[in-house]
Amino acid sequence: MTPAYLERAALYYLERYGASAEMLRRVLRRRVETRCRLRGEAPGDFAEMVEAVVARALGAGLVDDAAFAAAKVRSLRRRGGSARAIGAKLAAKGVDRDTVGAALAEEAGAEGSSEDQAARAYARRRRLGPFRPEAARAAARERDLAAMARAGFALSLARRVIDGDLEDDLAMP
């Protein structure tokens, strides 16, 4: 196992996926562990090599946690992700809380009420509230509110979306 091998593995991964520094570190550690298992070596011996490759990728600008977080926030918001759910997903990918908060604040400042738009997008995608057939709306109200709460939206926002009209959603830009 050489630094050149790890750099090629890092470049191959980064060509295909956007990643945070921690995600790249995990991928390289898995590669090292797999190779070491096959060769009977200790993976801990290569920890410094992995850190050096991650540091070079950071220095070269191939990995940028802030840009990764901003792109993920935009993508997840379009799909109807709440701030809470987005924070949890990015934390699982190794992005620190401050970077996530900055990305969410930047996105909220750029578009206004992005949490409202995300809640409506989530309801539309899952066919909740006003996107459900009129005959089944009243019977499924509590279930719809629970789904919105599980998705991380505040109860007041969930009530506004679930009890809203389809015309309210069409008026949104």
Side-chain angles (χ1 to χ4, degrees):
M1 177 113 32
T2 64
Y5 167 79
L6 286 176
E7 284 182 21
R8 283 192 309 272
L11 287 174
Y12 180 70
Y13 180 74
L14 292 173
E15 283 175 354
R16 294 181 298 150
Y17 307 106
S20 67
E22 183 59 29
M23 287 173 64
L24 179 62
R25 189 174 289 115
R26 289 174 189 166
V27 166
L28 293 177
R29 283 182 188 154
R30 274 196 311 269
R31 285 278 187 112
V32 166
E33 288 170 4
T34 302
R35 287 282 291 254
C36 288
R37 200 174 321 117
L38 292 172
R39 296 173 184 237
E41 298 172 332
D45 298 341
F46 301 100
E48 289 179 19
M49 205 180 298
V50 168
E51 291 302 320
V53 170
V54 171
R56 283 193 59 183
L58 282 167
L62 297 173
V63 175
D64 183 7
D65 283 358
F68 173 75
K72 273 295 191 192
V73 165
R74 283 191 305 274
S75 169
L76 292 171
R77 278 292 194 195
R78 277 192 305 272
R79 293 193 68 227
S82 67
R84 212 174 271 157
I86 290 171
K89 283 186 185 215
L90 288 174
K93 294 189 179 291
V95 180
D96 64 56
R97 200 175 276 190
D98 296 334
T99 306
V100 172
L104 283 169
E106 178 183 322
E107 191 264 344
E111 295 183 17
S113 63
S114 57
E115 191 79 1
D116 290 350
Q117 292 171 352
R120 283 185 175 70
Y122 181 78
R124 184 181 315 113
R125 190 167 57 91
R126 296 280 311 272
R127 297 175 194 218
L128 305 176
F131 304 98
R132 184 181 289 281
E134 190 65 36
R137 256 183 99 172
R141 182 180 184 274
E142 294 300 318
R143 199 172 332 141
D144 291 351
L145 286 173
M148 295 287 286
R150 283 191 302 273
F153 294 105
L155 183 59
S156 61
L157 176 59
R159 281 186 183 139
R160 222 173 31 245
V161 170
I162 298 300
D163 295 337
D165 291 329
L166 198 54
E167 289 81 32
D168 294 343
D169 188 61
L170 295 175
M172 294 282 301

